[in-house]
Amino acid sequence: MTTVLRYAAFTGDPGGGNPAGVVLDASGLDVEAMQGIAAEVGYSETAFLTGAVGADGVREVRYFSPKAEVPFCGHATVATAVALAERVGPGELVFSTPAGIVPVSVDAGLRATLTSVEPSVEAAELGDVLDILRWSPADLDPALPPRVAYAGARHLVLAAATRERLAELDYDFDRLLAYMLERDLTTLQLVWRESPTVFHVRDPFPVGGVVEDPATGAAAAAFGAYLRELGLGQPKITLHQGHDLGRPSLITVELSPDDNRIRVSGTAVPIPE
């Protein structure tokens, strides 16, 4: 019988953050079995360690939402790293994901910091997304233009002009699903800027069968690349997510002048049975 661990990531409270399933030994599972487990667990993602630790210390991991496999998931990576650290001790881990190699460091306080794959940012063709979100052009912050950002998965970044606009999320699920599938998007990263270093974010995730993700590490990494591309990057950025869902989370994004990759950190705690 496959053991599925359950963790809340980017929080110290089991009732906050983003729940993730973690299977530490998925070596005997095929794709159909992993997809079935993810659907049964019902969290936005479940991570599966699919093979033995390589001679170089690399662990292979795959991520499944209830509906489909995704190339990379930040909160499930943090949850997996913390679950491993609780069993083998803190230190350095290396995950081989479908998106590429992702190093993760876990400190003595069980705070995990992942380093993204090489990010990129490109122009965004909005199409009818504002209509799907029931937003107007006036609802956008002109200082933060729309872009598609990538740091393991593709996310459309849209900035709201006000916190009130961000709080009122009411979109057409089926239309947004079709829009995102057509453009190979994993989430929409909807943001509001409180200050140059503090942002509030929300992430619709219909391609995973989830209306909204309470904490999205992959999108946080992509957003760090977005800010750098616009010349708005700071050494450390704080993202507040999940508050409008009643599952508050805290994500730290770090940018280095010597490395294009983005570092994303947070804690994770077991969810009681």
Side-chain angles (χ1 to χ4, degrees):
M1 186 178 196
T2 301
T3 299
V4 182
L5 307 174
R6 289 166 168 81
Y7 279 75
F10 294 115
T11 182
D13 176 3
N18 198 357
V22 177
V23 178
L24 295 179
D25 181 7
S27 56
L29 302 177
D30 59 17
V31 169
E32 184 178 357
M34 288 187 282
Q35 184 65 76
I37 289 169
E40 183 178 350
V41 171
Y43 295 157
S44 57
E45 273 98 6
T46 295
F48 297 83
L49 293 176
T50 57
V53 182
D56 53 2
V58 175
R59 292 171 164 87
E60 292 186 0
V61 61
R62 296 175 73 169
Y63 311 94
F64 288 81
S65 78
K67 292 292 186 182
E69 184 172 10
V70 297
F72 176 66
C73 172
H75 86 277
T77 298
V78 166
T80 301
V82 169
L84 285 169
E86 287 180 333
R87 288 154 178 82
V88 304
E92 304 299 318
L93 300 165
V94 181
F95 293 134
S96 176
T97 79
I101 297 297
V102 177
V104 186
S105 175
V106 186
D107 66 20
L110 297 180
R111 181 178 183 84
T113 300
L114 67 86
T115 300
S116 77
V117 299
E118 188 72 17
S120 62
V121 180
E122 64 189 68
E125 294 293 336
L126 292 186
D128 56 354
V129 70
L130 294 183
D131 183 60
I132 293 169
L133 290 171
R134 302 186 175 99
W135 288 22
S136 73
D139 289 322
L140 296 175
D141 182 347
L144 298 170
R147 295 287 189 273
V148 173
Y150 170 87
R154 287 165 51 83
H155 307 268
L156 173 61
V157 180
L158 293 175
T162 65
R163 180 66 179 92
E164 291 73 21
R165 172 67 276 178
L166 187 68
E168 297 171 4
L169 184 62
D170 176 27
Y171 68 89
D172 187 316
F173 186 95
D174 291 335
R175 287 182 66 199
L176 187 58
L177 171 60
Y179 175 94
M180 293 174 70
L181 289 174
E182 183 178 339
R183 292 162 176 80
D184 189 29
L185 298 173
T186 298
T187 75
L188 264 58
Q189 175 84 327
L190 308 178
V191 309
W192 175 71
R193 179 170 57 177
E194 178 180 317
S195 75
T197 59
V198 178
F199 292 80
H200 297 253
V201 304
R202 303 185 73 172
D203 282 72
F205 185 34
V207 296
V210 177
V211 172
E212 183 180 354
D213 218 12
T216 317
F223 185 60
Y226 165 91
L227 290 175
R228 174 187 279 149
E229 180 75 9
L230 293 181
L232 300 173
Q234 301 287 334
K236 186 175 289 188
I237 299 154
T238 300
L239 304 185
H240 296 280
Q241 190 175 347
H243 291 260
D244 297 293
L245 289 174
R247 297 194 67 96
S249 62
L250 191 64
I251 304 173
T252 301
V253 177
E254 295 177 86
L255 307 181
S256 168
D258 305 318
D259 189 348
N260 283 335
R261 298 175 301 171
I262 311 299
R263 287 165 179 78
V264 174
S265 62
T267 56
V269 292
I271 298 172
E273 295 285 337

